[in-house]
Amino acid sequence: MIPEQTVLVRYTVTSGVLEYSLPFAIYDEGDVAVYWAMADELGGEQTTLELHTDYSVTIQEDTHTGSVTLVAGKVPVGATLAIESAIPATQSMASVAPTGTSRIRRP
C-alpha cells in the first residue's frame, strides 16, 4: 500500500502581502484548506481560515494553479500560513501488475 502524502506549502505572513501562490494543482476554490499559527506556536494551536470570509482563491485555468488572497487583518504579520491541498488521493493500485505476472518477453 502506498501511503497518502500531504501536499502543503508554508509562508511567513509579511506586512502588505495578501496574495500567496499555490504551487500545486487545484480545480475548484474548495480544493485548498488554509491555516495559520504563530511561528513560536507551530506545535500548538492553529487557526483554520474560512473561504469567502478570511480568504479567496483565484484559479489559473490554463495551469490549474492559482493563489490564495487573505482578507486584510485576518492573519497577523509574522504568522506562518499553511495552505494544504484538499484534493483526496484517488489513484488505486489496481493498474499495477502483481509480481510474477509480467508480460515482457525476454530474448
Side-chain angles (χ1 to χ4, degrees):
M1 182 170 143
I2 297 175
E4 281 191 38
Q5 295 184 2
T6 300
V7 179
L8 177 79
V9 62
R10 290 188 177 106
Y11 295 99
T12 299
V13 176
T14 306
S15 179
V17 178
L18 297 176
E19 187 173 333
Y20 297 88
S21 66
L22 300 173
F24 50 83
I26 59 169
Y27 303 92
D28 183 77
E29 60 185 10
D31 287 346
V32 296
V34 184
Y35 313 92
W36 71 269
M38 289 308 296
D40 57 351
E41 299 175 10
L42 282 180
E45 188 175 331
Q46 69 180 19
T47 301
T48 301
L49 298 177
E50 296 293 325
L51 180 62
H52 302 299
T53 302
D54 302 321
Y55 69 94
S56 61
V57 176
T58 302
I59 302 170
Q60 303 219 356
E61 296 294 331
D62 58 333
T63 60
H64 295 288
T65 58
S67 61
V68 165
T69 302
L70 300 175
V71 172
K74 293 288 185 170
V75 179
V77 170
T80 297
L81 182 70
I83 306 171
E84 180 179 13
S85 172
I87 299 174
T90 57
Q91 183 172 350
S92 71
M93 291 300 294
S95 62
V96 177
T99 303
T101 61
S102 174
R103 296 181 185 189
I104 299 174
R105 293 186 179 219
R106 301 196 189 273

